[in-house]
Amino acid sequence: MLIPSQRQSYQDFQHVLDDLHKSIQKHELDKTEIQERFQAVKQLFQARILTLNPDEVNQEHVSAWQSRQTEIHRQMRLLETDMLMLQAARNSATVQSRVAIICDRLNTLIQYCSAMLQL
């Protein structure tokens, strides 16, 4: 079981991921707005998720927590790369392809947050 502060951190992270997901699915894609929202996600991740301590997790869930935490970190690094590629995309088909990849990655991250909240 997560302690309340950890639970709140994952809920907040899930919320900003959801906001970014909704922004990127808009019909009129604003790359500047998307980049700003991603920076907010990244800052929250670095300040509140990366700093979480496994010592505060119930011992029977530490292994699952560490595994999911590692995957969240990996997915965030990949999302950062995807965001850079979206910013560089000029062709409409490339932009749409990048948006689809980013949406999939955001869905994965949201699912990991949900899984963490189940601990």
Side-chain angles (χ1 to χ4, degrees):
M1 179 126 196
L2 297 176
I3 62 173
S5 63
Q6 286 182 331
R7 181 170 298 285
Q8 187 63 51
S9 292
Y10 286 113
Q11 286 172 338
D12 292 347
F13 185 53
Q14 189 173 26
H15 180 71
V16 295
L17 288 169
D18 221 16
D19 285 347
L20 177 58
H21 191 261
K22 287 175 186 166
S23 293
I24 206 162
Q25 288 183 314
K26 286 183 183 174
H27 182 66
E28 292 295 321
L29 186 67
D30 180 351
K31 289 183 182 181
T32 304
E33 176 190 348
I34 298 302
Q35 190 60 34
E36 288 171 2
R37 287 186 184 267
F38 173 70
Q39 289 305 318
V41 168
K42 186 177 170 183
Q43 287 173 352
L44 189 139
F45 172 72
Q46 290 173 337
R48 305 228 354 242
I49 302 299
L50 274 182
T51 60
L52 294 176
N53 187 345
D55 295 338
E56 297 171 342
V57 176
N58 186 326
Q59 281 305 112
E60 66 188 54
H61 299 298
V62 169
S63 178
W65 182 88
Q66 286 177 324
S67 175
R68 290 175 186 155
Q69 187 76 353
T70 299
E71 273 304 306
I72 289 171
H73 189 223
R74 185 176 77 82
Q75 291 294 324
M76 278 299 295
R77 287 192 319 266
L78 292 169
L79 179 60
E80 185 168 18
T81 302
D82 294 335
M83 293 299 292
L84 290 170
M85 294 176 97
L86 174 64
Q87 293 300 314
R90 301 290 173 241
N91 179 320
S92 152
T94 306
V95 168
Q96 290 308 313
S97 172
R98 287 286 150 209
V99 165
I101 290 167
I102 290 170
C103 285
D104 287 346
R105 194 151 333 271
L106 288 168
N107 283 331
T108 299
L109 280 162
I110 291 167
Q111 289 172 356
Y112 277 121
C113 286
S114 293
M116 287 297 226
L117 292 168
Q118 299 302 315
L119 292 180

